[in-house]
C-alpha cells in the first residue's frame, strides 16, 4: 500500500520564479492538505482540497494556489517566489468524513529560493 | 500569544529514561490532540491521538490531555536511541480541516 508520495524531492529556484509541487495521496484517500514547514518550526496549514475544490485556506497570500485532479492527486503552485518561501512543503492526505482529523504526511519537497 | 506553545529543546536524556514532552494551547475549541514524530529530512509520522480529555497508552507511549489546564503531554518509557527525533504536538477543532502544530521538541536519547 503506497503512502503519500511527493515530487520533486528537492528544488532550487530564484526570486520571482514560479514553482509547481506535486502530491499523490495514500490509496483510498480523497482529501489533500498542504503545509509549509520552515526550518526549526512546525508545519503551517496552507490549504486543503476535496472534490477538486479548495475547502479551507490558512493565512497564506494568493501567490499560493493549488489544484486537485479527478484521481485525487494535487499540485501546489507558488508564484513570484520570495526568499522567505524557502521551506519544506508537506502534503498530507486523509479520508473525508473519518472520525477524527487523521492526516498522513508525505516526505515533503524541500524548496530553496536564492 | 501563539495558539500552541512547545519548548523546542533540545532535550537530551540517557537511554532507558522516561521522557516527558508537553505543550500548552490557548484555543478551547481544540478537541483532537495528536503527537507526531519527525526524523530529520522526513515527513511527520502520527504517533498518538486523543479525543478530548484523558489518557491513551500505546506500547511505550502514553498521551495525556488536560483540557481544564489546556495542557497535553507525551511520555516515552524505556527510551531508545531510535526515539531520537523531533516530536510535534498538534491539535484541531471538530469540523475544522486544518491541524495546528507546535514548533516541535528535538529529543536526543544518549546510548
Amino acid at each position: 500500500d503506497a503512502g503519500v508520495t511527493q515530487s520533486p524531492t528537492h528544488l532550487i529556484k530564484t526570486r520571482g520564479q514560479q514553482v509547481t509541487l506535486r502530491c499523490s495521496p495514500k490509496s483510498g484517500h480523497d482529501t489533500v492538505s498542504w503545509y509549509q514547514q520552515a526550518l526549526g518550526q512546525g508545519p503551517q496549514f496552507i490549504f486543503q482540497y476535496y472534490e477538486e475544490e479548495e475547502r479551507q485556506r490558512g493565512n497564506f497570500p494568493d501567490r499560493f494556489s493549488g489544484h486537485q485532479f479527478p484521481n485525487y492527486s494535487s499540485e501546489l503552485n507558488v508564484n513570484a517566489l520570495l526568499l522567505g518561501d524557502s521551506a519544506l512543503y508537506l502534503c498530507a492526505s486523509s479520508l473525508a468524513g473519518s472520525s477524527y482529523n487523521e492526516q498522513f504526511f508525505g516526505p515533503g519537497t524541500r524548496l530553496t529560493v536564492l | 500569544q501563539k495558539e500552541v506553545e512547545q519548548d523546542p529543546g533540545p532535550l537530551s536524556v540517557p537511554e532507558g529514561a522516561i521522557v516527558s514532552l508537553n505543550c500548552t494551547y490557548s484555543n478551547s475549541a481544540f478537541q483532537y490532540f495528536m503527537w507526531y514524530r519527525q526524523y530529520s529530512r522526513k515527513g511527520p509520522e502520527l504517533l498518538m491521538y486523543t479525543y478530548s480529555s484523558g489518557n491513551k497508552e500505546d506500547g511505550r507511549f502514553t498521551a495525556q490531555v488536560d483540557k481544564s489546564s489546556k495542557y497535553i503531554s507525551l511520555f516515552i518509557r524505556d527510551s531508545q536511541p531510535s526515539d531520537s527525533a523531533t516530536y510535534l504536538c498538534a491539535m484541531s477543532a471538530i469540523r475544522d480541516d486544518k491541524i495546528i502544530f507546535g514548533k516541535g521538541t528535538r529529543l536526543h536519547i544518549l546510548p
Side-chain angles (χ1 to χ4, degrees):
Chain A
D1 177 23
V4 180
T5 59
Q6 293 186 242
S7 63
T9 306
H10 297 91
L11 208 49
I12 299 175
K13 292 285 187 178
T14 57
R15 280 178 297 174
Q17 285 189 311
Q18 178 264 343
V19 68
T20 298
L21 311 181
R22 295 176 176 82
C23 170
S24 290
K26 181 178 167 65
S27 178
H29 284 181
D30 56 8
T31 302
V32 172
S33 303
W34 287 92
Y35 292 79
Q36 180 196 66
Q37 187 176 23
L39 198 62
Q41 303 294 316
Q44 279 198 290
F45 178 79
I46 302 174
F47 42 53
Q48 185 180 84
Y49 277 83
Y50 171 67
E51 292 188 336
E52 302 179 49
E53 290 191 358
E54 184 182 292
R55 188 154 82 167
Q56 189 174 2
R57 188 179 185 93
N59 293 327
F60 280 81
D62 292 345
R63 298 187 297 110
F64 290 77
S65 64
H67 189 77
Q68 186 179 34
F69 299 94
N71 67 353
Y72 308 120
S73 66
S74 177
E75 289 181 350
L76 165 66
N77 300 291
V78 187
N79 294 323
L81 285 167
L82 304 173
L83 295 179
D85 294 332
S86 295
L88 180 68
Y89 287 85
L90 294 161
C91 169
S93 74
S94 55
L95 181 62
S98 57
S99 58
Y100 76 103
N101 195 2
E102 181 177 18
Q103 298 183 12
F104 291 83
F105 283 82
T109 293
R110 187 162 297 280
L111 173 64
T112 302
V113 182
L114 302 176
Chain B
Q1 182 187 11
K2 291 183 83 96
E3 278 192 291
V4 179
E5 299 275 6
Q6 183 176 12
D7 187 335
L11 178 64
S12 297
V13 299
E15 182 177 356
I18 296 175
V19 175
S20 172
L21 305 168
N22 52 72
C23 290
T24 58
Y25 64 95
S26 57
N27 188 345
S28 57
F30 289 147
Q31 293 284 351
Y32 297 123
F33 302 92
M34 293 151 277
W35 286 94
Y36 284 82
R37 178 174 62 195
Q38 187 174 26
Y39 292 112
S40 181
R41 300 189 176 278
K42 302 286 187 184
E45 170 196 10
L46 180 65
L47 275 178
M48 303 277 292
Y49 85 90
T50 310
Y51 171 68
S52 194
S53 281
N55 295 355
K56 187 170 185 177
E57 188 173 321
D58 184 2
R60 296 186 295 113
F61 299 90
T62 300
Q64 289 184 351
V65 174
D66 181 348
K67 290 191 70 182
S68 63
S69 302
K70 295 190 174 68
Y71 187 89
I72 71 170
S73 301
L74 177 71
F75 298 95
I76 307 174
R77 291 182 298 281
D78 187 25
S79 55
Q80 305 294 311
S82 59
D83 294 328
S84 298
T86 295
Y87 289 79
L88 298 153
C89 64
M91 312 174 187
S92 69
I94 292 177
R95 288 185 292 277
D96 191 347
D97 301 318
K98 67 181 180 293
I99 296 176
I100 306 299
F101 285 85
K103 292 176 91 168
T105 299
R106 285 182 294 141
L107 174 65
H108 300 289
I109 306 298
L110 306 171

